[in-house]
Amino acid sequence: MKRLDCKALDDNCPMAWTRERFDLPDDLLYFDGNSLGVLPAGAAADIAQTVTEEWGQGLIRGWLEADWFTLARRAGDALAPVIGATEGEVVLTDSTSVNIFKLCAALMKKSGQRKHVMMEKDNFPTDGYILEGIIDLLGRDHELQIVPRTEIVSALTENTALALLTHVNYRTGEMFDMADLTRTCRLAGVPIVWDLCHSAGAVPLRLNDWGVEYAVGCTYKFLNGGPGSTSYAYISRTALDRFSPVLTGWFSHANQFGFEEGYREADSINKMQVGTPQVLSLRGAYNGIMSYSDVPMENVREKSLKLSNLFIELAEERLSHYGFDLASPRDAQKRGSQISFYHDEGYAICQALIARNVIPDYREPHILRFGITPLYMRYVDVWDCVEIIADIMDTGAWRAFQSASRSAVT
Amino acid sequence: MKRLDCKALDDNCPMAWTRERFDLPDDLLYFDGNSLGVLPAGAAADIAQTVTEEWGQGLIRGWLEADWFTLARRAGDALAPVIGATEGEVVLTDSTSVNIFKLCAALMKKSGQRKHVMMEKDNFPTDGYILEGIIDLLGRDHELQIVPRTEIVSALTENTALALLTHVNYRTGEMFDMADLTRTCRLAGVPIVWDLCHSAGAVPLRLNDWGVEYAVGCTYKFLNGGPGSTSYAYISRTALDRFSPVLTGWFSHANQFGFEEGYREADSINKMQVGTPQVLSLRGAYNGIMSYSDVPMENVREKSLKLSNLFIELAEERLSHYGFDLASPRDAQKRGSQISFYHDEGYAICQALIARNVIPDYREPHILRFGITPLYMRYVDVWDCVEIIADIMDTGAWRAFQSASRSAVT
């Protein structure tokens, strides 16, 4: 494999055209689209239009005339095909953490004698923090049960109240078999909430087909919605009637502008909304979601695996003798859309790469993550990235960053 | 009083200069800044910079290099002087509804034997809906006690767990004596959460001086933050240590990027944050808050009352025989920054005004609201507004809108 071979792969790539959908910085190798996605072409103009025309000129009329009022639902409907959901099952609202609270608190409230709340060990921290908070708030003797990935199924008992699982692990990129686990949990009478932060837009999802009832995710990673763009919540049509919200704000009311004195929940996915949506960030999310329109997720997956396999292959050739150990599953079927390596000097290497305009990120402990984003990543980008890592190791350039103090944000 | 007199008032107004801080639509009389504020001059360019440079070019580096990470706190510190708070007591986060949940749920969780949760009758609906949701979620026999405005104090008992009060009523603009009620509630051992949605930027607030411990509010009304811009939460320094959050997301953790397995709450106002902030909407909020910098709230209040008194005076001259009854307190000291009228045909009149480029809004039942926004409203605007209302009534033009079906958003 030479760089020219990578170039040829790009020239013949059936997904090469999607790169034109984004405004990418020059001279940057961006491998952090799994943390914050890139700017869709046209999004800046669209958001500017929302600011200057819809708000600046339209003012309050924007809620109807610019249709801000239904944007959260329209964005949800646009996202639905990307995650294998149906119209009316997805709404954009709040942050992922708040949405986890909303789903899990409502389910735990109804858990009866079942008291164990199960989560994967090494899950993204906020998921566990939120569960701790709910347990403490409810005060009904729920217990957080933190279980290694491989022991989820064996840990299910008739005392299991809820499972909160992240489909693709944020550190390693290891992916659960969502269909299988969902079936198993449901057979055991255990509601399961899926966190899709590292899945949506990264791997094909078939929530409806897999019997998934509840899910949340962010829109600012693979979905390119912009910093902190509005999160989404999914409840399947089959579960919707059974679900009653606990954060019962006016946007979840059956008759919102009737301003009734008492609360009545909406009979639609609106019941997952709470307060007024943050329209500018929602507009960012909408643009990001639209960057996936007419892009079959099977094609995204195919290219994701090719890029990932190339990364692993090149890394093993050039980097393994420098102490890079693959932290992601070698089996492509068990991997999301990122490649992670353990390295004792991961933090310094990450800083050295950033100084060379290569952007991965770093997660404790000792994990270097490289997000694989097929909509705008080229095979030559992978080649160049590994070359630069190798150069940093060959020359020892990373040592200059060894004593760097950690930033507040990693 | 003639239009020329109003013009003279504008020419001599010491606050006339603040109008230059906004990009206002031509040919529009905007009396709905109490519902959605206007676009600050420079905000469009600033938000565009966040989108194209900080996100588009900076990508993940924006969290540190563009300081998105601390923006919620910096915006809170900028808001603090507007509401009489101190640095470190205010943070922008989530929506008002979610923030009401966070404060009230945490306080009700600790309410012990006290079970009555008190709210004003005719409060903005979401406040009551959220309380109903918390009561149901906690399942600890709390009861919602909806009390007429005048009976708040007499309804306080040793069974009162919490009072949630909106400082300025959204329909009538009637204002509570915050200092007095706060003192009374605290003497009775009742924590009180103030909803400042219609107060911040509208009337002078001295939260610290008045002993206020907990407050929330939105930034998209008088504070001009843009549609649905990020809400804020306030906890006084004196109450902060006693307060433990219930929505315990990673942004409220004492060591957020340590990714510790267990939750530990931050010892700062960060404990009111939950998930990743919606940066674009937060940037809007920040710009809006900055539109108040170096504008003493006493001056805002002085002009607000002059504009309001002028509105009432002109309306009584020109409109009272058409069935407009003042719904706002005549006593200026008891009024926020809006003038409301009851009128049986309020909805049709509102639509007729919008067709004439005058924008008030309408709230059930039969209330026409006119927001008074001294930062950009002129005396001639009030004059012209009343003239156009009078013309619509004189000519009967409003009748054409009598059968108009209600919009989804009013």
Side-chain angles (χ1 to χ4, degrees), chain A residues 190-351:
Chain A
V190 176
I192 177 166
V193 175
W194 283 104
D195 180 336
L196 307 178
C197 281
H198 291 269
S199 316
V203 297
L205 293 168
R206 288 162 44 205
L207 299 191
N208 283 175
D209 292 347
W210 296 340
V212 174
E213 294 180 309
Y214 310 102
V216 301
C218 78
T219 59
Y220 53 77
K221 298 178 187 290
F222 290 93
L223 294 173
N224 305 308
S229 58
T230 317
S231 167
Y232 58 91
Y234 157 92
I235 302 179
S236 72
R237 275 186 197 285
T238 51
L240 192 64
D241 286 348
R242 270 181 281 129
F243 184 89
S244 282
V246 297
L247 255 75
T248 48
W250 66 316
F251 268 73
S252 73
H253 197 283
N255 179 22
Q256 182 182 355
F257 280 89
F259 286 18
E260 298 176 4
E261 188 167 287
Y263 181 73
R264 289 191 296 129
E265 72 186 47
D267 59 5
S268 69
I269 190 70
N270 285 358
K271 68 173 79 170
M272 279 301 289
Q273 298 185 100
V274 185
T276 306
Q278 301 193 36
V279 172
L280 301 188
S281 288
L282 182 52
R283 196 74 214 170
Y286 183 74
N287 275 275
I289 290 166
M290 295 311 285
S291 70
Y292 276 81
S293 66
D294 306 317
V295 184
M297 281 305 300
E298 288 64 32
N299 299 9
V300 175
R301 178 64 171 166
E302 187 187 346
K303 185 169 182 186
S304 166
L305 292 183
K306 284 184 181 166
L307 289 164
S308 300
N309 292 337
L310 174 65
F311 202 124
I312 293 172
E313 182 190 324
L314 294 173
E316 296 198 328
E317 257 176 60
R318 300 289 321 266
L319 304 176
S320 53
H321 59 289
Y322 283 122
F324 286 77
D325 290 328
L326 188 64
S328 303
R330 194 168 300 271
D331 178 355
Q333 297 314 311
K334 294 192 175 158
R335 206 167 58 215
S337 198
Q338 72 182 65
I339 302 296
S340 301
F341 297 95
Y342 293 110
H343 195 292
D344 287 345
E345 297 292 346
Y347 188 78
I349 294 166
C350 184
Q351 298 309 307

Side-chain angles (χ1 to χ4, degrees), chain A residues 48-277:
Chain A
Q49 151 87 9
T50 296
V51 172
T52 56
E53 296 301 316
E54 295 176 10
W55 170 24
Q57 297 293 313
L59 292 164
I60 193 69
R61 296 168 294 193
W63 283 104
L64 282 174
E65 291 175 14
D67 224 352
W68 299 335
F69 189 54
T70 63
L71 182 55
R73 288 292 302 276
R74 287 184 288 126
D77 286 342
L79 178 58
V82 179
I83 59 177
T86 313
E87 238 176 62
E89 293 183 324
V90 186
V91 67
L92 270 72
T93 176
D94 296 317
S95 67
T96 305
S97 296
V98 171
N99 285 330
I100 289 173
F101 180 94
K102 289 191 282 190
L103 287 176
C104 294
L107 294 167
M108 286 164 65
K109 171 172 175 277
K110 297 196 305 180
S111 75
Q113 295 308 309
R114 292 173 175 250
K115 297 298 183 190
H116 288 165
V117 181
M118 188 189 294
M119 196 185 78
E120 170 203 358
K121 190 168 161 58
D122 300 323
N123 196 355
F124 188 76
T126 208
D127 298 48
Y129 300 160
I130 290 285
L131 291 178
E132 283 188 53
I134 299 170
I135 290 169
D136 190 48
L137 177 63
L138 293 182
R140 293 185 205 160
D141 304 318
H142 287 97
E143 274 176 43
L144 186 58
Q145 202 181 18
I146 297 182
V147 176
R149 294 181 67 80
T150 50
E151 296 170 23
I152 300 287
V153 171
S154 57
L156 287 171
T157 71
E158 51 190 35
N159 199 17
T160 309
L162 172 75
L164 169 61
L165 296 177
T166 300
H167 182 220
V168 173
N169 183 273
Y170 78 105
R171 282 196 181 100
T172 63
E174 187 172 350
M175 183 164 65
F176 279 123
D177 184 333
M178 189 184 285
D180 190 52
L181 270 170
T182 301
R183 193 167 43 238
T184 305
C185 282
R186 291 189 62 182
L187 279 173
V190 176
I192 177 166
V193 175
W194 283 104
D195 180 336
L196 307 178
C197 281
H198 291 269
S199 316
V203 297
L205 293 168
R206 288 162 44 205
L207 299 191
N208 283 175
D209 292 347
W210 296 340
V212 174
E213 294 180 309
Y214 310 102
V216 301
C218 78
T219 59
Y220 53 77
K221 298 178 187 290
F222 290 93
L223 294 173
N224 305 308
S229 58
T230 317
S231 167
Y232 58 91
Y234 157 92
I235 302 179
S236 72
R237 275 186 197 285
T238 51
L240 192 64
D241 286 348
R242 270 181 281 129
F243 184 89
S244 282
V246 297
L247 255 75
T248 48
W250 66 316
F251 268 73
S252 73
H253 197 283
N255 179 22
Q256 182 182 355
F257 280 89
F259 286 18
E260 298 176 4
E261 188 167 287
Y263 181 73
R264 289 191 296 129
E265 72 186 47
D267 59 5
S268 69
I269 190 70
N270 285 358
K271 68 173 79 170
M272 279 301 289
Q273 298 185 100
V274 185
T276 306

Side-chain angles (χ1 to χ4, degrees), chain B residues 299-313:
Chain B
N299 299 9
V300 175
R301 179 63 171 167
E302 187 188 345
K303 185 169 182 185
S304 165
L305 292 183
K306 284 183 182 167
L307 290 163
S308 301
N309 291 338
L310 174 65
F311 202 124
I312 293 173
E313 181 190 325

Side-chain angles (χ1 to χ4, degrees), chain B residues 84-117:
Chain B
T86 313
E87 238 177 63
E89 292 183 325
V90 186
V91 67
L92 270 72
T93 175
D94 296 318
S95 67
T96 305
S97 297
V98 171
N99 285 331
I100 288 173
F101 180 94
K102 289 190 282 190
L103 287 176
C104 294
L107 294 167
M108 286 164 65
K109 170 172 175 277
K110 297 196 305 181
S111 75
Q113 296 308 309
R114 293 174 175 248
K115 297 299 183 190
H116 289 165
V117 181

